[in-house]
Amino acid sequence: VVHPVESGGGSVQAGGSLNLSCVASGNSFMRHNMGWFRQAPGREREGVAVIDTYDTPTYADSVKGRFTISRNADKTIGYLQMSSLKPEDTGMYYCAFRKRGYYRSLTPTDFGDWGQGTQVTVSS
């Protein structure tokens, strides 16, 4: 199992932007949908966005219009562009690959090969 590596997190004020990256083996991106998830202290991990192997995105309602998920042309890096950030976007952000479940699932238990995460902190 090759686990992805996330980067790009940081601390910003509300209304700011951050761009996250997820680096993994090419096989992972070509064979599986990739998702971004987040987990705030004391809360369950939740799905943020997923991109399928045809580059079709799906977003959680809470981030629609503010976040954009994408992959590079070589399908070796995944991205999450985050804008108009809110304090409630604070959390550890992870990328992972879909292993089971509904094709456009955002359910964390449908995903595997988790990275270590990158911290995003949004202050008011």
PDB file of all heavy atoms in Angstrom, residues 78-106:
ATOM      1  N   GLY A  78      -3.309  15.294  -6.691  1.00  0.00           N
ATOM      2  CA  GLY A  78      -4.660  15.820  -6.536  1.00  0.00           C
ATOM      3  C   GLY A  78      -4.606  17.143  -5.798  1.00  0.00           C
ATOM      4  O   GLY A  78      -3.682  17.401  -5.025  1.00  0.00           O
ATOM      5  N   TYR A  79      -5.585  17.991  -6.059  1.00  0.00           N
ATOM      6  CA  TYR A  79      -5.592  19.321  -5.457  1.00  0.00           C
ATOM      7  C   TYR A  79      -6.953  19.609  -4.821  1.00  0.00           C
ATOM      8  O   TYR A  79      -7.978  19.083  -5.240  1.00  0.00           O
ATOM      9  CB  TYR A  79      -5.316  20.391  -6.518  1.00  0.00           C
ATOM     10  CG  TYR A  79      -4.019  20.221  -7.262  1.00  0.00           C
ATOM     11  CD1 TYR A  79      -3.994  19.679  -8.547  1.00  0.00           C
ATOM     12  CD2 TYR A  79      -2.806  20.589  -6.682  1.00  0.00           C
ATOM     13  CE1 TYR A  79      -2.808  19.521  -9.236  1.00  0.00           C
ATOM     14  CE2 TYR A  79      -1.613  20.436  -7.367  1.00  0.00           C
ATOM     15  CZ  TYR A  79      -1.623  19.896  -8.647  1.00  0.00           C
ATOM     16  OH  TYR A  79      -0.440  19.740  -9.314  1.00  0.00           O
ATOM     17  N   LEU A  80      -6.917  20.493  -3.836  1.00  0.00           N
ATOM     18  CA  LEU A  80      -8.141  21.058  -3.286  1.00  0.00           C
ATOM     19  C   LEU A  80      -7.902  22.551  -3.124  1.00  0.00           C
ATOM     20  O   LEU A  80      -7.136  22.964  -2.256  1.00  0.00           O
ATOM     21  CB  LEU A  80      -8.517  20.429  -1.947  1.00  0.00           C
ATOM     22  CG  LEU A  80      -9.870  20.871  -1.393  1.00  0.00           C
ATOM     23  CD1 LEU A  80     -11.006  20.348  -2.272  1.00  0.00           C
ATOM     24  CD2 LEU A  80     -10.051  20.410   0.052  1.00  0.00           C
ATOM     25  N   GLN A  81      -8.517  23.328  -3.999  1.00  0.00           N
ATOM     26  CA  GLN A  81      -8.425  24.782  -3.900  1.00  0.00           C
ATOM     27  C   GLN A  81      -9.563  25.256  -3.017  1.00  0.00           C
ATOM     28  O   GLN A  81     -10.731  24.987  -3.294  1.00  0.00           O
ATOM     29  CB  GLN A  81      -8.524  25.398  -5.286  1.00  0.00           C
ATOM     30  CG  GLN A  81      -7.376  25.006  -6.213  1.00  0.00           C
ATOM     31  CD  GLN A  81      -7.600  25.527  -7.627  1.00  0.00           C
ATOM     32  OE1 GLN A  81      -8.363  24.966  -8.412  1.00  0.00           O
ATOM     33  NE2 GLN A  81      -6.951  26.627  -7.942  1.00  0.00           N
ATOM     34  N   MET A  82      -9.199  25.973  -1.953  1.00  0.00           N
ATOM     35  CA  MET A  82     -10.182  26.419  -0.982  1.00  0.00           C
ATOM     36  C   MET A  82     -10.179  27.942  -0.934  1.00  0.00           C
ATOM     37  O   MET A  82      -9.131  28.552  -0.742  1.00  0.00           O
ATOM     38  CB  MET A  82      -9.868  25.847   0.403  1.00  0.00           C
ATOM     39  CG  MET A  82      -9.700  24.329   0.407  1.00  0.00           C
ATOM     40  SD  MET A  82      -9.496  23.654   2.062  1.00  0.00           S
ATOM     41  CE  MET A  82      -7.925  24.390   2.511  1.00  0.00           C
ATOM     42  N   SER A  83     -11.338  28.536  -1.100  1.00  0.00           N
ATOM     43  CA  SER A  83     -11.453  29.984  -1.029  1.00  0.00           C
ATOM     44  C   SER A  83     -12.624  30.350  -0.128  1.00  0.00           C
ATOM     45  O   SER A  83     -13.418  29.493   0.243  1.00  0.00           O
ATOM     46  CB  SER A  83     -11.623  30.583  -2.420  1.00  0.00           C
ATOM     47  OG  SER A  83     -12.813  30.101  -3.021  1.00  0.00           O
ATOM     48  N   SER A  84     -12.707  31.627   0.207  1.00  0.00           N
ATOM     49  CA  SER A  84     -13.752  32.111   1.112  1.00  0.00           C
ATOM     50  C   SER A  84     -13.833  31.240   2.359  1.00  0.00           C
ATOM     51  O   SER A  84     -14.914  30.830   2.790  1.00  0.00           O
ATOM     52  CB  SER A  84     -15.118  32.137   0.400  1.00  0.00           C
ATOM     53  OG  SER A  84     -15.072  32.971  -0.740  1.00  0.00           O
ATOM     54  N   LEU A  85     -12.683  30.957   2.917  1.00  0.00           N
ATOM     55  CA  LEU A  85     -12.613  30.051   4.061  1.00  0.00           C
ATOM     56  C   LEU A  85     -13.325  30.618   5.276  1.00  0.00           C
ATOM     57  O   LEU A  85     -13.336  31.841   5.514  1.00  0.00           O
ATOM     58  CB  LEU A  85     -11.158  29.733   4.388  1.00  0.00           C
ATOM     59  CG  LEU A  85     -10.498  28.730   3.436  1.00  0.00           C
ATOM     60  CD1 LEU A  85      -8.982  28.789   3.547  1.00  0.00           C
ATOM     61  CD2 LEU A  85     -11.004  27.332   3.713  1.00  0.00           C
ATOM     62  N   LYS A  86     -13.923  29.711   6.039  1.00  0.00           N
ATOM     63  CA  LYS A  86     -14.666  30.058   7.242  1.00  0.00           C
ATOM     64  C   LYS A  86     -14.034  29.360   8.433  1.00  0.00           C
ATOM     65  O   LYS A  86     -13.392  28.314   8.271  1.00  0.00           O
ATOM     66  CB  LYS A  86     -16.114  29.607   7.108  1.00  0.00           C
ATOM     67  CG  LYS A  86     -16.832  30.130   5.874  1.00  0.00           C
ATOM     68  CD  LYS A  86     -18.230  29.521   5.766  1.00  0.00           C
ATOM     69  CE  LYS A  86     -18.945  30.009   4.524  1.00  0.00           C
ATOM     70  NZ  LYS A  86     -20.308  29.401   4.407  1.00  0.00           N
ATOM     71  N   PRO A  87     -14.228  29.887   9.632  1.00  0.00           N
ATOM     72  CA  PRO A  87     -13.680  29.203  10.818  1.00  0.00           C
ATOM     73  C   PRO A  87     -14.131  27.744  10.916  1.00  0.00           C
ATOM     74  O   PRO A  87     -13.369  26.890  11.373  1.00  0.00           O
ATOM     75  CB  PRO A  87     -14.223  30.045  11.968  1.00  0.00           C
ATOM     76  CG  PRO A  87     -14.358  31.412  11.389  1.00  0.00           C
ATOM     77  CD  PRO A  87     -14.806  31.190   9.970  1.00  0.00           C
ATOM     78  N   GLU A  88     -15.334  27.439  10.469  1.00  0.00           N
ATOM     79  CA  GLU A  88     -15.820  26.065  10.539  1.00  0.00           C
ATOM     80  C   GLU A  88     -15.140  25.140   9.539  1.00  0.00           C
ATOM     81  O   GLU A  88     -15.373  23.927   9.560  1.00  0.00           O
ATOM     82  CB  GLU A  88     -17.342  26.006  10.344  1.00  0.00           C
ATOM     83  CG  GLU A  88     -17.853  26.749   9.125  1.00  0.00           C
ATOM     84  CD  GLU A  88     -18.339  28.158   9.453  1.00  0.00           C
ATOM     85  OE1 GLU A  88     -17.649  28.872  10.219  1.00  0.00           O
ATOM     86  OE2 GLU A  88     -19.408  28.542   8.931  1.00  0.00           O
ATOM     87  N   ASP A  89     -14.290  25.676   8.674  1.00  0.00           N
ATOM     88  CA  ASP A  89     -13.490  24.842   7.772  1.00  0.00           C
ATOM     89  C   ASP A  89     -12.234  24.324   8.457  1.00  0.00           C
ATOM     90  O   ASP A  89     -11.493  23.519   7.892  1.00  0.00           O
ATOM     91  CB  ASP A  89     -13.085  25.625   6.520  1.00  0.00           C
ATOM     92  CG  ASP A  89     -14.268  25.995   5.647  1.00  0.00           C
ATOM     93  OD1 ASP A  89     -15.167  25.161   5.474  1.00  0.00           O
ATOM     94  OD2 ASP A  89     -14.268  27.130   5.131  1.00  0.00           O
ATOM     95  N   THR A  90     -11.984  24.773   9.659  1.00  0.00           N
ATOM     96  CA  THR A  90     -10.798  24.357  10.407  1.00  0.00           C
ATOM     97  C   THR A  90     -10.801  22.856  10.658  1.00  0.00           C
ATOM     98  O   THR A  90     -11.837  22.290  11.020  1.00  0.00           O
ATOM     99  CB  THR A  90     -10.716  25.114  11.738  1.00  0.00           C
ATOM    100  OG1 THR A  90     -10.494  26.505  11.466  1.00  0.00           O
ATOM    101  CG2 THR A  90      -9.595  24.583  12.612  1.00  0.00           C
ATOM    102  N   GLY A  91      -9.643  22.234  10.487  1.00  0.00           N
ATOM    103  CA  GLY A  91      -9.514  20.811  10.749  1.00  0.00           C
ATOM    104  C   GLY A  91      -8.292  20.222  10.083  1.00  0.00           C
ATOM    105  O   GLY A  91      -7.572  20.926   9.352  1.00  0.00           O
ATOM    106  N   MET A  92      -8.072  18.945  10.322  1.00  0.00           N
ATOM    107  CA  MET A  92      -7.019  18.217   9.614  1.00  0.00           C
ATOM    108  C   MET A  92      -7.629  17.698   8.329  1.00  0.00           C
ATOM    109  O   MET A  92      -8.684  17.069   8.353  1.00  0.00           O
ATOM    110  CB  MET A  92      -6.510  17.060  10.465  1.00  0.00           C
ATOM    111  CG  MET A  92      -5.297  16.349   9.891  1.00  0.00           C
ATOM    112  SD  MET A  92      -3.819  17.366   9.933  1.00  0.00           S
ATOM    113  CE  MET A  92      -3.368  17.165  11.657  1.00  0.00           C
ATOM    114  N   TYR A  93      -6.966  17.970   7.218  1.00  0.00           N
ATOM    115  CA  TYR A  93      -7.466  17.563   5.914  1.00  0.00           C
ATOM    116  C   TYR A  93      -6.661  16.371   5.401  1.00  0.00           C
ATOM    117  O   TYR A  93      -5.432  16.388   5.428  1.00  0.00           O
ATOM    118  CB  TYR A  93      -7.392  18.728   4.932  1.00  0.00           C
ATOM    119  CG  TYR A  93      -8.509  19.724   5.107  1.00  0.00           C
ATOM    120  CD1 TYR A  93      -8.596  20.516   6.244  1.00  0.00           C
ATOM    121  CD2 TYR A  93      -9.497  19.847   4.141  1.00  0.00           C
ATOM    122  CE1 TYR A  93      -9.641  21.417   6.416  1.00  0.00           C
ATOM    123  CE2 TYR A  93     -10.553  20.747   4.293  1.00  0.00           C
ATOM    124  CZ  TYR A  93     -10.616  21.523   5.435  1.00  0.00           C
ATOM    125  OH  TYR A  93     -11.653  22.408   5.599  1.00  0.00           O
ATOM    126  N   TYR A  94      -7.380  15.377   4.915  1.00  0.00           N
ATOM    127  CA  TYR A  94      -6.783  14.142   4.434  1.00  0.00           C
ATOM    128  C   TYR A  94      -7.246  13.860   3.005  1.00  0.00           C
ATOM    129  O   TYR A  94      -8.371  14.208   2.633  1.00  0.00           O
ATOM    130  CB  TYR A  94      -7.210  12.956   5.280  1.00  0.00           C
ATOM    131  CG  TYR A  94      -6.919  13.057   6.745  1.00  0.00           C
ATOM    132  CD1 TYR A  94      -7.818  13.664   7.625  1.00  0.00           C
ATOM    133  CD2 TYR A  94      -5.737  12.519   7.276  1.00  0.00           C
ATOM    134  CE1 TYR A  94      -7.555  13.745   8.974  1.00  0.00           C
ATOM    135  CE2 TYR A  94      -5.469  12.600   8.633  1.00  0.00           C
ATOM    136  CZ  TYR A  94      -6.382  13.203   9.469  1.00  0.00           C
ATOM    137  OH  TYR A  94      -6.118  13.278  10.814  1.00  0.00           O
ATOM    138  N   CYS A  95      -6.394  13.188   2.239  1.00  0.00           N
ATOM    139  CA  CYS A  95      -6.861  12.624   0.975  1.00  0.00           C
ATOM    140  C   CYS A  95      -6.826  11.098   1.096  1.00  0.00           C
ATOM    141  O   CYS A  95      -6.069  10.539   1.892  1.00  0.00           O
ATOM    142  CB  CYS A  95      -6.041  13.105  -0.217  1.00  0.00           C
ATOM    143  SG  CYS A  95      -4.325  12.610  -0.222  1.00  0.00           S
ATOM    144  N   ALA A  96      -7.650  10.454   0.319  1.00  0.00           N
ATOM    145  CA  ALA A  96      -7.748   9.000   0.352  1.00  0.00           C
ATOM    146  C   ALA A  96      -8.403   8.535  -0.937  1.00  0.00           C
ATOM    147  O   ALA A  96      -8.916   9.344  -1.720  1.00  0.00           O
ATOM    148  CB  ALA A  96      -8.558   8.543   1.564  1.00  0.00           C
ATOM    149  N   PHE A  97      -8.403   7.240  -1.154  1.00  0.00           N
ATOM    150  CA  PHE A  97      -8.917   6.669  -2.397  1.00  0.00           C
ATOM    151  C   PHE A  97     -10.069   5.725  -2.103  1.00  0.00           C
ATOM    152  O   PHE A  97     -10.028   4.933  -1.172  1.00  0.00           O
ATOM    153  CB  PHE A  97      -7.788   5.968  -3.153  1.00  0.00           C
ATOM    154  CG  PHE A  97      -6.730   6.922  -3.598  1.00  0.00           C
ATOM    155  CD1 PHE A  97      -5.625   7.179  -2.804  1.00  0.00           C
ATOM    156  CD2 PHE A  97      -6.859   7.607  -4.788  1.00  0.00           C
ATOM    157  CE1 PHE A  97      -4.660   8.101  -3.193  1.00  0.00           C
ATOM    158  CE2 PHE A  97      -5.898   8.524  -5.198  1.00  0.00           C
ATOM    159  CZ  PHE A  97      -4.806   8.771  -4.389  1.00  0.00           C
ATOM    160  N   ARG A  98     -11.113   5.834  -2.956  1.00  0.00           N
ATOM    161  CA  ARG A  98     -12.319   5.044  -2.769  1.00  0.00           C
ATOM    162  C   ARG A  98     -12.047   3.566  -2.984  1.00  0.00           C
ATOM    163  O   ARG A  98     -11.454   3.161  -3.978  1.00  0.00           O
ATOM    164  CB  ARG A  98     -13.414   5.515  -3.724  1.00  0.00           C
ATOM    165  CG  ARG A  98     -14.687   4.696  -3.657  1.00  0.00           C
ATOM    166  CD  ARG A  98     -15.723   5.205  -4.643  1.00  0.00           C
ATOM    167  NE  ARG A  98     -16.752   4.217  -4.885  1.00  0.00           N
ATOM    168  CZ  ARG A  98     -16.681   3.286  -5.830  1.00  0.00           C
ATOM    169  NH1 ARG A  98     -15.641   3.217  -6.622  1.00  0.00           N
ATOM    170  NH2 ARG A  98     -17.663   2.421  -5.976  1.00  0.00           N
ATOM    171  N   LYS A  99     -12.519   2.758  -2.035  1.00  0.00           N
ATOM    172  CA  LYS A  99     -12.337   1.312  -2.091  1.00  0.00           C
ATOM    173  C   LYS A  99     -13.630   0.546  -2.254  1.00  0.00           C
ATOM    174  O   LYS A  99     -13.635  -0.613  -2.664  1.00  0.00           O
ATOM    175  CB  LYS A  99     -11.628   0.825  -0.809  1.00  0.00           C
ATOM    176  CG  LYS A  99     -10.274   1.469  -0.568  1.00  0.00           C
ATOM    177  CD  LYS A  99      -9.294   1.134  -1.671  1.00  0.00           C
ATOM    178  CE  LYS A  99      -7.912   1.677  -1.367  1.00  0.00           C
ATOM    179  NZ  LYS A  99      -6.958   1.381  -2.455  1.00  0.00           N
ATOM    180  N   ARG A 100     -14.754   1.165  -1.900  1.00  0.00           N
ATOM    181  CA  ARG A 100     -16.044   0.445  -1.903  1.00  0.00           C
ATOM    182  C   ARG A 100     -17.157   1.473  -1.899  1.00  0.00           C
ATOM    183  O   ARG A 100     -16.932   2.668  -1.848  1.00  0.00           O
ATOM    184  CB  ARG A 100     -16.147  -0.443  -0.660  1.00  0.00           C
ATOM    185  CG  ARG A 100     -16.173   0.339   0.650  1.00  0.00           C
ATOM    186  CD  ARG A 100     -16.066  -0.558   1.866  1.00  0.00           C
ATOM    187  NE  ARG A 100     -14.776  -1.204   1.932  1.00  0.00           N
ATOM    188  CZ  ARG A 100     -13.701  -0.629   2.462  1.00  0.00           C
ATOM    189  NH1 ARG A 100     -13.766   0.595   2.931  1.00  0.00           N
ATOM    190  NH2 ARG A 100     -12.556  -1.292   2.500  1.00  0.00           N
ATOM    191  N   GLY A 101     -18.389   0.963  -1.945  1.00  0.00           N
ATOM    192  CA  GLY A 101     -19.548   1.824  -1.755  1.00  0.00           C
ATOM    193  C   GLY A 101     -20.002   2.520  -3.015  1.00  0.00           C
ATOM    194  O   GLY A 101     -19.510   2.281  -4.121  1.00  0.00           O
ATOM    195  N   TYR A 102     -20.977   3.403  -2.848  1.00  0.00           N
ATOM    196  CA  TYR A 102     -21.546   4.182  -3.941  1.00  0.00           C
ATOM    197  C   TYR A 102     -20.450   4.910  -4.707  1.00  0.00           C
ATOM    198  O   TYR A 102     -19.512   5.431  -4.114  1.00  0.00           O
ATOM    199  CB  TYR A 102     -22.560   5.160  -3.356  1.00  0.00           C
ATOM    200  CG  TYR A 102     -23.098   6.200  -4.294  1.00  0.00           C
ATOM    201  CD1 TYR A 102     -23.748   5.842  -5.473  1.00  0.00           C
ATOM    202  CD2 TYR A 102     -22.978   7.553  -3.992  1.00  0.00           C
ATOM    203  CE1 TYR A 102     -24.249   6.808  -6.328  1.00  0.00           C
ATOM    204  CE2 TYR A 102     -23.477   8.523  -4.838  1.00  0.00           C
ATOM    205  CZ  TYR A 102     -24.109   8.143  -6.005  1.00  0.00           C
ATOM    206  OH  TYR A 102     -24.594   9.094  -6.845  1.00  0.00           O
ATOM    207  N   TYR A 103     -20.584   4.976  -6.034  1.00  0.00           N
ATOM    208  CA  TYR A 103     -19.514   5.497  -6.881  1.00  0.00           C
ATOM    209  C   TYR A 103     -19.104   6.908  -6.501  1.00  0.00           C
ATOM    210  O   TYR A 103     -17.923   7.244  -6.512  1.00  0.00           O
ATOM    211  CB  TYR A 103     -19.953   5.449  -8.343  1.00  0.00           C
ATOM    212  CG  TYR A 103     -18.881   5.891  -9.314  1.00  0.00           C
ATOM    213  CD1 TYR A 103     -17.731   5.130  -9.494  1.00  0.00           C
ATOM    214  CD2 TYR A 103     -19.009   7.076 -10.033  1.00  0.00           C
ATOM    215  CE1 TYR A 103     -16.741   5.539 -10.375  1.00  0.00           C
ATOM    216  CE2 TYR A 103     -18.023   7.481 -10.918  1.00  0.00           C
ATOM    217  CZ  TYR A 103     -16.902   6.706 -11.082  1.00  0.00           C
ATOM    218  OH  TYR A 103     -15.922   7.104 -11.954  1.00  0.00           O
ATOM    219  N   ARG A 104     -20.045   7.772  -6.161  1.00  0.00           N
ATOM    220  CA  ARG A 104     -19.715   9.161  -5.815  1.00  0.00           C
ATOM    221  C   ARG A 104     -19.754   9.381  -4.303  1.00  0.00           C
ATOM    222  O   ARG A 104     -19.994  10.479  -3.833  1.00  0.00           O
ATOM    223  CB  ARG A 104     -20.661  10.122  -6.519  1.00  0.00           C
ATOM    224  CG  ARG A 104     -20.622   9.996  -8.013  1.00  0.00           C
ATOM    225  CD  ARG A 104     -21.175  11.228  -8.716  1.00  0.00           C
ATOM    226  NE  ARG A 104     -21.298  10.998 -10.145  1.00  0.00           N
ATOM    227  CZ  ARG A 104     -20.269  10.985 -10.980  1.00  0.00           C
ATOM    228  NH1 ARG A 104     -19.050  11.194 -10.542  1.00  0.00           N
ATOM    229  NH2 ARG A 104     -20.460  10.764 -12.274  1.00  0.00           N
ATOM    230  N   SER A 105     -19.480   8.306  -3.594  1.00  0.00           N
ATOM    231  CA  SER A 105     -19.514   8.362  -2.134  1.00  0.00           C
ATOM    232  C   SER A 105     -18.557   9.398  -1.568  1.00  0.00           C
ATOM    233  O   SER A 105     -17.439   9.581  -2.075  1.00  0.00           O
ATOM    234  CB  SER A 105     -19.158   6.989  -1.564  1.00  0.00           C
ATOM    235  OG  SER A 105     -19.003   7.053  -0.159  1.00  0.00           O
ATOM    236  N   LEU A 106     -18.998  10.041  -0.498  1.00  0.00           N
ATOM    237  CA  LEU A 106     -18.153  10.920   0.308  1.00  0.00           C
ATOM    238  C   LEU A 106     -18.063  10.374   1.729  1.00  0.00           C
ATOM    239  O   LEU A 106     -17.669  11.099   2.640  1.00  0.00           O
ATOM    240  CB  LEU A 106     -18.732  12.341   0.337  1.00  0.00           C
ATOM    241  CG  LEU A 106     -18.341  13.261  -0.824  1.00  0.00           C
ATOM    242  CD1 LEU A 106     -19.147  14.559  -0.778  1.00  0.00           C
ATOM    243  CD2 LEU A 106     -16.854  13.577  -0.780  1.00  0.00           C
TER     244      LEU A 106
END
